[in-house]
Amino acid sequence: MSVVLTKTDVGVPPGPVPRVGLVTRLWRRRGLFLAVFATVLGAAIAALLMLPVRYAATGSVIVAEPEPGGGNGSAAWAQKVGDPADLESQLLLVRSPRILRLAMAQPGIAEAAQRECRLAAEGGPLRLGRLTGASATICDGLQPGSAALLDYLDTRVGVGTVGRSRIISVSYQSTLPEVAQTITNAVITSFLDDQRTNLAKSREAAAAWIWQEIRQLDRTLREEEERIQAYRRSRGLVRGATAPISSERLTSISQQLASAEAARAEAAARLHEINADQARGSADSPAVLASRTIGDLKQQYATLSSQLANAATTLGPSHPTIQGLRREREALQARLRREVASVAASARQTYDASSTLVASLRRQLETAKADVGSATDAEAAIAAMVRSVELKRGQYVDLYKKASELETERRILTGSTRLVSLAELPARPFFPKRLPFLAAGFTLAALLATAAALLRDRTDGSVRAAAEIDQAAGTTTLAQLPRLGGRGILSALPRRDPSLAAALDRASADPALQAALRTLYARLTLRPSGRPLRTLLVTSAAPGEGKTFTTLALAGRIAASGQRVLVVEGDLGAPAFAGALGLPPGPGLGAVLRGEVPAREAVMRTHQPNLDAMPAGAPIEASTELLMGQRVAGLLALAEDYDLVLIDSPPLGLLMDASVLARRVDGVLVCARWGRSPIEATAATVAAIRAAGGTVAGAVITVARPPAPVIYGERPGRVPASVGAA
């Protein structure tokens, strides 16, 4: 066997404890992590299966909306629309007991609540009635108009706003989708009806007062119209359709006169235009051209002139065709002059007739003025009375119109709160939703498992790395004995330790453990003290830390290498060697210490070559006194017949046996179990051995569970260069 030593092996003080990353800390506590994660996730899955399915029906209304055609454009209304306090008051109004009582009064609401309550009381197949607080007695009390029904609905109706809008959503959750829809729509319709009713009451009161005023005005108008007619009869005034006959006649004559004067002026202008055109010898004035006959003649004249001009370019001036065209053109000119003269004569006649009519109407106007002047005083009095009547009639019309509008609004009133949508029958459950629920459970399980693992790792003072023991106890960790079958993810699962015999049997076939035992023996042999190691005491701070297993496994490994080894069971209070090694009953160490048999007679051969054992024999309580006796020297003298004597002693935290034996052996090996042994207890054990005069050969970590054996506190992934065995 060849070994390679490092500075730590020869006594160089160890370095600081390496920092451990988050993943490494979680991996060290993977058992706790998996347990907490599985527990929380299982609880979430169980809750998903056990919780009753609830359906949510949601409807919505919009508040502070102006009435259609109402003209609500005032500054007060604009302030109301943007006021959060108004929206908050509407939310409180929807949840008010008055609205809920109106909803309770609707048909079928109490029956729906009772049906839902009874289903919750029965709890379905899972019998969750007690969890929901429902009972048959409570359900029977949900009667229409009862306080119990009011409290039942008040705790289940949800009201809230939709974002920053003016929309209010009303919802209700129930195990029955039709109940959720029915109650939600009942609350919405009750709220809208209440809004319309309150507004209708104010309009009804205003309309009643207006109708009373209308009836009073109607009586007053009838009386005043009767007085006007009586006055007219007494004055002999005849009234036309809109005014007295004389006034209407004067107005009519004035209108006729104005029309006649306008016609005369038009005729004069037309006559003047025609005369001016005749003086120039032309027929191009608009008044002349307005005649269709003249227009046709001028067109014919232009056509003949064009033909004459074309013929003149090819024929001579004396050609018969030229002569004929000239005679025809002259005839058209003569006819055109006659038509112009006829138009001028017609314009003169029109002007004369208009002048005669104007003169006649002026005489009639003077006569009508005289008639109107004679009736002025009487009409003035009548006009005053008529104006009073007209004013009252205008008031009557305005009031009647306003009353009609109020009556119409009262019948079609929707209020400032309007319906957006009623609740639909929910088709999918609102709670629990499978995917979000499982996602939340998975996240919560991961967080709680991580927190538990990190908290346990932070508060745990047990051995996790070789450097922790080296720094706390001032010793050297010689090896880490891996957990049997501890490779893979299954090593994270907690399990009971096997029996000592089964553990030794499995250890002989575990390559990793055998390699660790070879490393341990090599480091024990190559101690820097220079004193040969013939007797080695194995102890620990507390029971269950693997000292007995380490003693027997190390002895078996050394014996397999060809050296003679003796294992002595110094733990007299809890004998285990005989059962583990398959030995028959014998006197044991207790009989040797009592002087009943010589030490050599208590030694028994095992089934493994080169390995002898001295079991403890029958359990002994006063073991410390026996170990303090002189017969121990005879026991240790057996080391002359063997290459190495291994002594298994009781835990130092329970008995002083290890302290008594420590000064009499060449070295003491302290065992600490990975993840269980407190670092402080291990350090105290090392200190106690040194205080008792013993030599600490080193420490060994048992049942180690890192992904790979970590020696001297090195991080996983590095290949340790401390020992290599060939």
Side-chain angles (χ1 to χ4, degrees):
M1 176 182 295
S2 62
V3 297
V4 179
L5 298 179
T6 64
K7 293 181 178 180
T8 305
D9 294 322
V10 297
V12 178
V17 179
R19 296 177 61 88
V20 181
L22 175 63
V23 177
T24 303
R25 294 168 66 186
L26 292 178
W27 179 254
R28 290 195 316 202
R29 300 295 178 181
R30 57 190 179 274
L32 177 62
F33 180 91
L34 292 176
V36 175
F37 182 85
T39 301
V40 176
L41 186 59
I45 296 175
L48 179 64
L49 297 176
M50 295 178 62
L51 288 176
V53 177
R54 302 187 67 84
Y55 296 87
T58 303
S60 54
V61 296
I62 184 169
V63 299
E65 277 288 296
E67 284 288 338
N72 294 322
S74 63
W77 183 268
Q79 183 179 4
K80 177 182 178 182
V81 169
D83 188 5
D86 180 70
L87 185 59
E88 183 68 22
S89 64
Q90 295 290 343
L91 290 174
L92 296 176
L93 182 60
V94 176
R95 287 294 304 272
S96 65
R98 181 168 60 85
I99 299 300
L100 293 181
R101 289 188 183 279
L102 292 175
M104 290 162 48
Q106 296 190 20
I109 298 302
E111 291 77 4
Q114 290 176 359
R115 188 164 67 255
E116 177 192 20
C117 180
R118 288 193 179 95
L119 181 62
E122 295 172 358
L126 298 178
R127 302 296 179 188
L128 298 177
R130 293 184 179 180
L131 296 179
T132 58
S135 65
T137 304
I138 295 176
C139 298
D140 293 337
L142 302 180
Q143 299 298 326
S146 63
L149 181 57
L150 178 63
D151 294 339
Y152 185 87
L153 296 180
D154 183 62
T155 57
R156 288 164 172 78
V157 173
V159 180
T161 58
V162 180
R164 300 179 60 186
S165 65
R166 289 178 284 112
I167 295 179
I168 295 178
S169 65
V170 181
S171 62
Y172 189 90
Q173 297 184 23
S174 174
T175 54
L176 299 174
E178 62 274 8
V179 171
Q181 180 191 28
T182 301
I183 296 180
T184 300
N185 290 338
V187 174
I188 291 176
T189 54
S190 298
F191 174 64
L192 294 176
D193 291 343
D194 180 72
Q195 292 282 301
R196 286 192 292 266
T197 301
N198 290 336
L199 292 174
K201 287 181 179 179
S202 61
R203 283 166 170 75
E204 185 177 0
W209 179 83
I210 292 175
W211 284 119
Q212 183 179 357
E213 292 295 319
I214 288 174
R215 288 191 291 271
Q216 181 65 30
L217 278 175
D218 184 65
R219 289 193 296 269
T220 303
L221 285 173
R222 292 179 185 275
E223 293 173 357
E224 292 189 0
E225 286 178 352
E226 290 178 358
R227 283 200 301 269
I228 291 173
Q229 294 301 329
Y231 184 80
R232 288 183 182 278
R233 288 192 297 270
S234 64
R235 295 290 182 174
L237 297 176
V238 180
R239 185 171 181 82
T242 59
I245 293 297
S246 58
S247 298
E248 290 183 353
R249 182 169 175 270
L250 178 60
T251 302
S252 177
I253 293 173
S254 299
Q255 293 175 352
Q256 293 177 15
L257 178 59
S259 299
E261 288 179 344
R264 187 182 66 175
E266 183 181 358
R270 186 167 177 268
L271 180 60
H272 178 72
E273 184 180 355
I274 293 173
N275 292 334
D277 197 29
Q278 285 180 336
R280 292 193 301 270
S282 64
D284 297 329
S285 64
V288 174
L289 294 176
S291 175
R292 183 178 182 85
T293 303
I294 294 176
D296 293 340
L297 293 175
K298 288 183 70 64
Q299 185 176 5
Q300 294 176 12
Y301 182 82
T303 301
L304 288 175
S305 298
S306 176
Q307 293 177 356
L308 183 60
N310 292 333
T313 58
T314 57
L315 304 176
S318 300
H319 195 276
T321 301
I322 298 297
Q323 294 297 326
L325 290 174
R326 286 177 178 173
R327 287 192 297 271
E328 189 175 353
R329 187 176 64 177
E330 291 173 356
L332 283 176
Q333 286 180 346
R335 186 178 175 185
L336 183 61
R337 285 193 294 271
R338 289 194 299 271
E339 287 296 332
V340 171
S342 175
V343 170
S346 175
R348 168 62 65 181
Q349 291 176 359
T350 301
Y351 175 75
D352 294 340
S354 298
S355 299
T356 304
L357 180 59
V358 168
S360 174
L361 289 175
R362 283 179 177 174
R363 291 191 296 270
Q364 294 178 16
L365 182 62
E366 295 298 330
T367 303
K369 286 181 178 180
D371 295 338
V372 171
S374 62
T376 301
D377 296 336
E379 290 294 340
I382 293 176
M385 290 187 290
V386 169
R387 282 196 299 272
S388 176
V389 170
E390 292 299 331
L391 290 175
K392 293 179 180 179
R393 184 174 286 110
Q395 291 179 345
Y396 180 89
V397 172
D398 292 340
L399 290 176
Y400 192 89
K401 181 180 179 181
K402 186 62 177 177
S404 300
E405 291 176 354
L406 290 175
E407 289 291 338
T408 303
E409 291 177 4
R410 186 172 65 85
R411 287 175 172 81
I412 65 172
L413 190 64
T414 60
S416 61
T417 302
R418 298 209 306 273
L419 176 67
V420 176
S421 65
L422 288 173
E424 301 291 340
L425 183 67
R428 296 182 178 179
F430 174 79
F431 178 85
K433 295 180 179 178
R434 181 173 301 176
L435 185 59
F437 199 92
L438 290 178
F442 185 88
T443 303
L444 181 62
L447 291 177
L448 292 180
T450 302
L454 295 179
L455 181 63
R456 181 71 180 90
D457 189 80
R458 183 179 182 86
T459 58
D460 184 17
S462 62
V463 173
R464 294 287 173 177
E468 296 175 344
I469 299 179
D470 298 348
Q471 188 178 45
T475 185
T476 301
T477 301
L478 302 178
Q480 295 191 39
L481 304 184
R483 181 177 181 177
L484 292 174
R487 297 288 180 177
I489 191 66
L490 294 179
S491 64
L493 301 177
R495 55 187 177 181
R496 182 178 298 179
D497 292 335
S499 65
L500 182 58
L504 291 174
D505 184 62
R506 292 169 57 184
S508 62
D510 192 324
L513 181 62
Q514 293 300 314
L517 291 173
R518 284 195 295 269
T519 301
L520 174 59
Y521 180 59
R523 292 186 176 183
L524 288 171
T525 304
L526 300 175
R527 296 182 306 130
S529 62
R531 178 181 175 182
L533 184 66
R534 302 296 298 276
T535 55
L536 179 66
L537 180 69
V538 183
T539 188
S540 63
E545 296 185 351
K547 62 178 183 58
T548 303
F549 170 81
T550 302
T551 302
L552 295 177
L554 180 61
R557 177 67 262 169
I558 298 173
S561 66
Q563 302 188 52
R564 298 186 68 243
V565 181
L566 172 65
V567 289
V568 179
E569 188 173 18
D571 192 352
L572 300 175
F577 274 22
L581 299 176
L583 301 176
L589 178 61
V592 174
L593 296 178
R594 287 192 300 268
E596 298 175 357
V597 294
R600 297 185 185 279
E601 295 183 7
V603 176
M604 305 178 69
R605 290 194 175 276
T606 66
H607 299 291
Q608 183 176 352
N610 301 323
L611 178 62
D612 295 340
M614 182 184 292
I620 300 176
E621 294 184 1
S623 60
T624 305
E625 290 82 353
L626 293 177
L627 292 174
M628 293 176 64
Q630 297 299 323
R631 295 184 179 88
V632 176
L635 172 66
L636 297 178
L638 295 176
E640 297 178 358
D641 300 334
Y642 294 93
D643 295 318
L644 179 64
V645 175
L646 293 174
I647 304 174
D648 177 32
S649 70
L652 190 61
L654 298 180
L655 297 173
M656 294 295 295
D657 296 8
S659 298
V660 173
L661 294 174
R663 68 178 67 186
R664 300 191 179 193
V665 297
D666 297 332
V668 179
L669 181 64
V670 179
C671 295
R673 182 163 179 166
W674 189 92
R676 179 183 294 183
S677 301
I679 296 177
E680 294 81 358
T682 303
T685 299
V686 173
I689 292 172
R690 289 171 176 169
T695 301
V696 178
V700 59
I701 299 177
T702 62
V703 199
R705 284 185 294 175
V710 180
I711 303 177
Y712 297 112
E714 296 182 4
R715 297 180 182 272
R718 283 176 48 190
V719 178
S722 57
V723 175

